[in-house]
Amino acid sequence: MAFRDIRIAGKLAIVLGGAGAVLIAALLVLFLQARTQMFADKTDNARQLVAQAMAVLEANQALAQSGQLSEEQARAAALAAIGRMRHGDGDYFWIQDAAARIVLHPIKPELNGKDMSTFKDDGGTPIFVEFARLAAGKDGGELRYVWPKPGSTAPQPKIAHVRQFAQWQWIVGTGVYVDDVERAFLQNLLTQGGIILGALALAGFAMLLVIRASITRPVAELQEVMRRVAEQRDLTLHTGATAGDEIGRAGRAFDHLMDALRDSFTSIVSSSGQLAGASQQLAAAAVQVRDSSESQSESAASMSAAVEEMTVSIAHVSENTAQVRELGELSYKQELDGSRSVH
């Protein structure tokens, strides 16, 4: 079905649904951006913490350079200081070398001195090899991986920042667990997102009610009046529209059209009556003309008969005159003959 064939209510529902989907997508993007920002804050926090540990290493290396401590004493002091450092919820620092051998791991001391180049986290990432690779950069680098929290064996998502302390060929790093970021993201998504979605649903429902009252119902009423006019041929029907919107103006225009059509038909009926009267007069005149024609025909017939009679009379007179002339001629001839006999 084409979009233009869908009813107005359906079209409006599609438009509102599309707008709601766009808003939901926008909200999801905002929540994801907030989640990304929280990860960025965690990463920045890890970077600053590593900078503090680097400051401890630099301070002890400076003591060794100044001769106040031997290099071995300086390294031991640095390891002891960094091993005691904590942040967050029991988070710690570790030190390794470029060959992925652990120099210091305060939570799992059994890893100290152990080669971890073949170790992989539950995601399959050789994290200590990656730490060595990232630390070779100018400002170090960050890595996401999974690692158990202190006192637990279940791996949790974590972000680590590592940097290289070139003077002693050590790599110092720390990680911050980000499971709280995921929890906060889901909590915000469910609570704030639910509130926003509920508000959108209520607003959409209210909008549908307004649309139904101001658009769908008036259009249906206008359509019903048009249907009744078409079926009943009743030009006195009106929509009675009073609204100032397009539908109200369309209803009033329809009412004006009905009035104009009714006036036109009234005028046509009146003109038809006048035309009927004129037709009757014309018919009467035609009858008179016919009657006059018949009288004239009768008069012409009478005149023709009189003419015929006159013609007959003239013929008779002519015959009588000829006889008289013949008699006259005969009498004259006889008189001449009588005169001759006397003489």
Side-chain angles (χ1 to χ4, degrees), residues 107-158:
I107 302 301
K108 292 185 176 183
E110 65 273 14
L111 298 179
N112 294 341
K114 188 175 181 180
D115 182 2
M116 299 292 288
S117 59
T118 59
F119 176 83
K120 297 179 180 180
D121 69 353
D122 286 0
T125 302
I127 58 175
F128 292 101
V129 173
E130 285 296 307
F131 290 148
R133 182 184 65 80
L134 292 170
K138 179 180 179 181
D139 296 320
E142 291 82 32
L143 179 68
R144 292 189 182 187
Y145 63 106
V146 291
W147 189 266
K149 284 187 175 182
S152 174
T153 58
Q156 299 295 330
K158 199 172 185 179

Coordinates of all heavy atoms in Angstrom, one line a residue, residues 107-158:
I107 N 49.7 -7.4 44.4 CA 48.5 -8.2 44.8 C 48.8 -9.7 44.6 O 48.4 -10.5 45.4 CB 47.3 -7.8 43.9 CG1 47.0 -6.3 44.1 CG2 46.1 -8.6 44.3 CD1 46.7 -5.9 45.5
K108 N 49.6 -10.0 43.6 CA 50.0 -11.4 43.3 C 51.5 -11.5 43.3 O 52.2 -11.6 42.2 CB 49.4 -11.9 42.0 CG 47.9 -12.0 42.0 CD 47.4 -12.7 40.7 CE 45.9 -12.9 40.8 NZ 45.3 -13.6 39.6
P109 N 52.1 -11.5 44.5 CA 53.6 -11.5 44.5 C 54.2 -12.8 43.9 O 55.4 -12.8 43.6 CB 53.9 -11.5 46.0 CG 52.7 -11.9 46.7 CD 51.5 -11.5 45.8
E110 N 53.4 -13.8 43.7 CA 53.9 -15.1 43.1 C 54.3 -14.8 41.7 O 55.0 -15.7 41.1 CB 52.9 -16.2 43.3 CG 51.6 -16.0 42.5 CD 50.5 -15.2 43.3 OE1 50.9 -14.6 44.3 OE2 49.3 -15.3 42.9
L111 N 53.8 -13.7 41.1 CA 54.1 -13.4 39.7 C 55.5 -12.7 39.6 O 56.0 -12.6 38.5 CB 53.0 -12.6 39.1 CG 51.6 -13.2 39.0 CD1 50.6 -12.2 38.3 CD2 51.7 -14.5 38.1
N112 N 56.0 -12.2 40.7 CA 57.3 -11.5 40.6 C 58.4 -12.3 40.0 O 58.6 -13.4 40.5 CB 57.7 -10.9 42.0 CG 56.7 -9.9 42.5 OD1 55.9 -9.3 41.7 ND2 56.7 -9.7 43.8
G113 N 59.1 -11.8 39.0 CA 60.2 -12.5 38.3 C 59.7 -13.5 37.3 O 60.5 -14.2 36.7
K114 N 58.4 -13.6 37.1 CA 57.8 -14.6 36.2 C 57.7 -14.0 34.8 O 57.3 -12.9 34.6 CB 56.5 -15.1 36.7 CG 56.0 -16.3 35.9 CD 54.7 -16.8 36.5 CE 54.1 -18.0 35.8 NZ 52.9 -18.5 36.4
D115 N 58.0 -14.9 33.8 CA 57.8 -14.5 32.4 C 56.4 -14.6 32.0 O 55.8 -15.7 32.0 CB 58.7 -15.3 31.5 CG 58.6 -14.9 30.0 OD1 57.9 -13.9 29.7 OD2 59.2 -15.6 29.2
M116 N 55.7 -13.5 31.6 CA 54.3 -13.5 31.3 C 54.0 -13.3 29.8 O 52.9 -12.9 29.4 CB 53.6 -12.4 32.1 CG 53.7 -12.6 33.6 SD 52.8 -14.1 34.2 CE 51.1 -13.5 34.0
S117 N 55.0 -13.5 29.0 CA 54.9 -13.2 27.6 C 53.8 -14.1 26.9 O 53.3 -13.8 25.9 CB 56.2 -13.4 26.9 OG 56.7 -14.7 27.1
T118 N 53.6 -15.3 27.5 CA 52.6 -16.2 26.9 C 51.2 -16.1 27.6 O 50.3 -16.8 27.2 CB 53.1 -17.7 27.0 OG1 53.3 -18.0 28.4 CG2 54.4 -17.8 26.2
F119 N 51.2 -15.3 28.6 CA 49.9 -15.2 29.3 C 48.9 -14.4 28.5 O 49.2 -13.4 27.8 CB 50.1 -14.5 30.6 CG 48.8 -14.3 31.4 CD1 48.3 -15.3 32.2 CD2 48.2 -13.0 31.3 CE1 47.1 -15.1 32.9 CE2 47.0 -12.8 32.0 CZ 46.4 -13.9 32.8
K120 N 47.6 -14.9 28.5 CA 46.5 -14.2 27.8 C 45.4 -14.1 28.7 O 45.1 -15.0 29.5 CB 46.1 -14.9 26.5 CG 47.2 -15.0 25.5 CD 46.7 -15.8 24.2 CE 47.8 -15.9 23.2 NZ 47.4 -16.6 22.0
D121 N 44.6 -13.0 28.6 CA 43.5 -12.8 29.4 C 42.3 -13.7 28.8 O 42.5 -14.3 27.8 CB 43.1 -11.3 29.6 CG 42.6 -10.7 28.3 OD1 42.6 -11.4 27.2 OD2 42.1 -9.6 28.3
D122 N 41.1 -13.6 29.5 CA 40.0 -14.4 29.0 C 39.5 -14.0 27.6 O 38.8 -14.7 26.9 CB 38.9 -14.3 30.0 CG 39.1 -15.1 31.2 OD1 40.2 -15.7 31.3 OD2 38.3 -15.1 32.1
G123 N 40.0 -12.8 27.2 CA 39.6 -12.3 25.8 C 40.6 -12.8 24.8 O 40.5 -12.4 23.6
G124 N 41.7 -13.5 25.2 CA 42.7 -14.0 24.3 C 43.8 -12.9 24.0 O 44.5 -13.1 23.0
T125 N 43.9 -11.9 24.8 CA 44.9 -10.8 24.5 C 46.1 -11.1 25.4 O 46.0 -11.2 26.6 CB 44.3 -9.5 24.9 OG1 43.1 -9.2 24.1 CG2 45.3 -8.4 24.5
P126 N 47.3 -11.2 24.7 CA 48.6 -11.3 25.5 C 48.9 -9.9 26.1 O 49.7 -9.2 25.6 CB 49.6 -11.7 24.5 CG 49.1 -11.2 23.2 CD 47.6 -11.2 23.3
I127 N 48.3 -9.7 27.3 CA 48.3 -8.3 27.8 C 49.7 -7.8 28.1 O 50.0 -6.6 27.9 CB 47.3 -8.2 29.0 CG1 47.7 -9.2 30.1 CG2 45.9 -8.5 28.6 CD1 46.9 -9.1 31.4
F128 N 50.5 -8.6 28.7 CA 51.8 -8.1 29.1 C 52.7 -7.8 27.9 O 53.5 -6.9 27.9 CB 52.5 -9.1 30.1 CG 51.8 -9.2 31.4 CD1 50.9 -10.2 31.7 CD2 51.9 -8.2 32.4 CE1 50.2 -10.3 32.9 CE2 51.2 -8.3 33.6 CZ 50.4 -9.3 33.8
V129 N 52.6 -8.6 26.9 CA 53.3 -8.2 25.6 C 52.7 -6.9 25.0 O 53.5 -6.1 24.6 CB 53.1 -9.4 24.6 CG1 53.7 -9.0 23.3 CG2 53.8 -10.7 25.2
E130 N 51.4 -6.8 25.1 CA 50.8 -5.5 24.6 C 51.3 -4.3 25.5 O 51.5 -3.2 24.9 CB 49.3 -5.6 24.6 CG 48.7 -6.5 23.5 CD 49.0 -5.9 22.1 OE1 48.7 -4.7 21.9 OE2 49.6 -6.6 21.3
F131 N 51.4 -4.5 26.8 CA 51.9 -3.4 27.6 C 53.3 -3.0 27.2 O 53.6 -1.8 27.2 CB 51.9 -3.9 29.1 CG 50.5 -4.1 29.7 CD1 50.3 -5.1 30.7 CD2 49.4 -3.3 29.3 CE1 49.0 -5.2 31.3 CE2 48.2 -3.5 29.9 CZ 48.0 -4.4 30.9
A132 N 54.1 -4.0 26.9 CA 55.5 -3.6 26.5 C 55.5 -2.9 25.2 O 56.2 -1.9 25.0 CB 56.3 -4.9 26.4
R133 N 54.6 -3.3 24.3 CA 54.5 -2.6 23.0 C 54.0 -1.2 23.1 O 54.6 -0.3 22.5 CB 53.6 -3.4 22.0 CG 53.5 -2.8 20.6 CD 52.5 -3.6 19.8 NE 51.2 -3.5 20.3 CZ 50.4 -2.5 20.1 NH1 50.8 -1.4 19.4 NH2 49.1 -2.4 20.6
L134 N 53.0 -1.0 23.9 CA 52.4 0.3 24.1 C 53.3 1.3 24.8 O 53.4 2.5 24.5 CB 51.1 0.2 24.9 CG 49.9 -0.5 24.1 CD1 48.7 -0.8 25.1 CD2 49.4 0.3 22.9
A135 N 54.1 0.7 25.8 CA 55.0 1.6 26.6 C 56.1 2.1 25.8 O 56.7 3.1 26.2 CB 55.5 0.8 27.8
A136 N 56.4 1.5 24.7 CA 57.5 1.9 23.8 C 57.2 3.3 23.2 O 58.1 3.9 22.7 CB 57.8 0.9 22.8
G137 N 55.9 3.7 23.1 CA 55.6 5.0 22.6 C 56.0 6.1 23.5 O 56.4 5.9 24.6
K138 N 55.9 7.3 22.9 CA 56.5 8.5 23.6 C 55.8 8.7 25.0 O 56.4 8.9 26.0 CB 56.3 9.7 22.7 CG 56.8 11.0 23.4 CD 56.6 12.2 22.5 CE 57.0 13.5 23.1 NZ 56.9 14.7 22.3
D139 N 54.4 8.7 24.9 CA 53.7 8.9 26.2 C 53.0 7.7 26.7 O 52.0 7.7 27.4 CB 52.6 10.0 25.9 CG 53.3 11.3 25.6 OD1 54.3 11.7 26.2 OD2 52.8 12.0 24.7
G140 N 53.4 6.5 26.3 CA 52.8 5.2 26.7 C 51.5 5.0 25.9 O 51.3 5.5 24.8
G141 N 50.7 4.2 26.5 CA 49.4 3.9 25.9 C 48.4 3.2 26.8 O 48.8 2.9 28.0
E142 N 47.2 3.0 26.3 CA 46.2 2.4 27.1 C 45.7 1.0 26.5 O 45.8 0.9 25.2 CB 45.0 3.3 27.2 CG 45.2 4.5 28.0 CD 45.9 5.6 27.2 OE1 45.7 5.7 26.0 OE2 46.7 6.4 27.8
L143 N 45.2 0.1 27.3 CA 44.8 -1.2 26.8 C 43.6 -1.6 27.7 O 43.6 -1.4 28.9 CB 45.9 -2.2 27.0 CG 45.5 -3.6 26.5 CD1 45.3 -3.7 25.0 CD2 46.5 -4.7 27.0
R144 N 42.5 -2.1 27.0 CA 41.4 -2.6 27.7 C 41.5 -4.1 27.7 O 41.8 -4.8 26.7 CB 40.1 -2.3 26.9 CG 39.7 -0.8 27.0 CD 38.3 -0.5 26.4 NE 38.0 0.9 26.5 CZ 36.8 1.4 26.2 NH1 35.8 0.5 25.8 NH2 36.6 2.7 26.2
Y145 N 41.3 -4.7 28.9 CA 41.4 -6.1 29.1 C 40.6 -6.5 30.3 O 39.8 -5.7 30.8 CB 42.9 -6.5 29.3 CG 43.5 -5.9 30.5 CD1 43.8 -6.7 31.7 CD2 43.9 -4.5 30.6 CE1 44.3 -6.1 32.8 CE2 44.4 -4.0 31.7 CZ 44.7 -4.8 32.8 OH 45.2 -4.2 34.0
V146 N 40.6 -7.8 30.6 CA 39.9 -8.3 31.8 C 40.9 -8.9 32.8 O 41.9 -9.6 32.4 CB 38.8 -9.3 31.4 CG1 37.7 -8.7 30.6 CG2 39.4 -10.5 30.6
W147 N 40.6 -8.6 34.1 CA 41.5 -9.1 35.1 C 40.7 -9.2 36.4 O 39.9 -8.4 36.7 CB 42.7 -8.1 35.3 CG 43.8 -8.6 36.2 CD1 43.9 -8.4 37.5 CD2 44.9 -9.4 35.8 NE1 45.0 -9.0 38.0 CE2 45.7 -9.6 37.0 CE3 45.3 -10.0 34.6 CZ2 46.8 -10.4 37.0 CZ3 46.5 -10.7 34.7 CH2 47.2 -10.9 35.8
P148 N 41.0 -10.3 37.2 CA 40.2 -10.4 38.5 C 40.5 -9.3 39.4 O 41.6 -8.8 39.5 CB 40.7 -11.7 39.0 CG 41.3 -12.4 37.9 CD 41.9 -11.4 37.0
K149 N 39.4 -8.9 40.1 CA 39.6 -7.9 41.2 C 40.3 -8.5 42.4 O 40.3 -9.8 42.6 CB 38.3 -7.3 41.7 CG 37.6 -6.3 40.7 CD 36.4 -5.7 41.3 CE 35.8 -4.6 40.4 NZ 34.7 -4.0 41.0
P150 N 41.0 -7.7 43.2 CA 41.6 -8.3 44.4 C 40.6 -9.1 45.3 O 39.5 -8.6 45.6 CB 42.1 -7.1 45.2 CG 42.3 -6.1 44.1 CD 41.2 -6.3 43.1
G151 N 41.0 -10.3 45.6 CA 40.1 -11.2 46.4 C 39.0 -11.9 45.6 O 38.2 -12.5 46.2
S152 N 39.1 -11.8 44.3 CA 38.1 -12.5 43.5 C 38.9 -13.2 42.3 O 40.0 -12.9 42.0 CB 37.1 -11.4 42.9 OG 36.3 -12.1 42.0
T153 N 38.2 -14.2 41.8 CA 38.8 -14.9 40.6 C 38.0 -14.6 39.3 O 38.4 -15.1 38.3 CB 38.7 -16.4 40.9 OG1 37.3 -16.8 41.1 CG2 39.6 -16.8 42.1
A154 N 36.9 -13.9 39.4 CA 36.1 -13.6 38.2 C 36.7 -12.4 37.5 O 36.9 -11.3 38.1 CB 34.7 -13.3 38.6
P155 N 37.1 -12.5 36.2 CA 37.7 -11.4 35.5 C 36.7 -10.3 35.3 O 35.5 -10.5 35.1 CB 38.0 -12.1 34.1 CG 38.1 -13.5 34.4 CD 37.1 -13.8 35.4
Q156 N 37.2 -9.1 35.4 CA 36.4 -7.9 35.3 C 37.0 -7.0 34.2 O 38.2 -6.9 34.1 CB 36.2 -7.1 36.6 CG 35.5 -7.9 37.7 CD 34.1 -8.2 37.3 OE1 33.4 -7.5 36.6 NE2 33.6 -9.4 37.8
P157 N 36.2 -6.2 33.5 CA 36.8 -5.3 32.5 C 37.7 -4.2 33.2 O 37.3 -3.7 34.2 CB 35.6 -4.7 31.8 CG 34.5 -4.8 32.8 CD 34.7 -6.1 33.5
K158 N 38.7 -3.9 32.5 CA 39.7 -3.0 33.1 C 40.4 -2.2 32.0 O 40.6 -2.6 30.9 CB 40.8 -3.8 33.9 CG 41.5 -3.0 34.9 CD 42.4 -4.0 35.8 CE 43.1 -3.2 36.9 NZ 43.9 -4.1 37.7

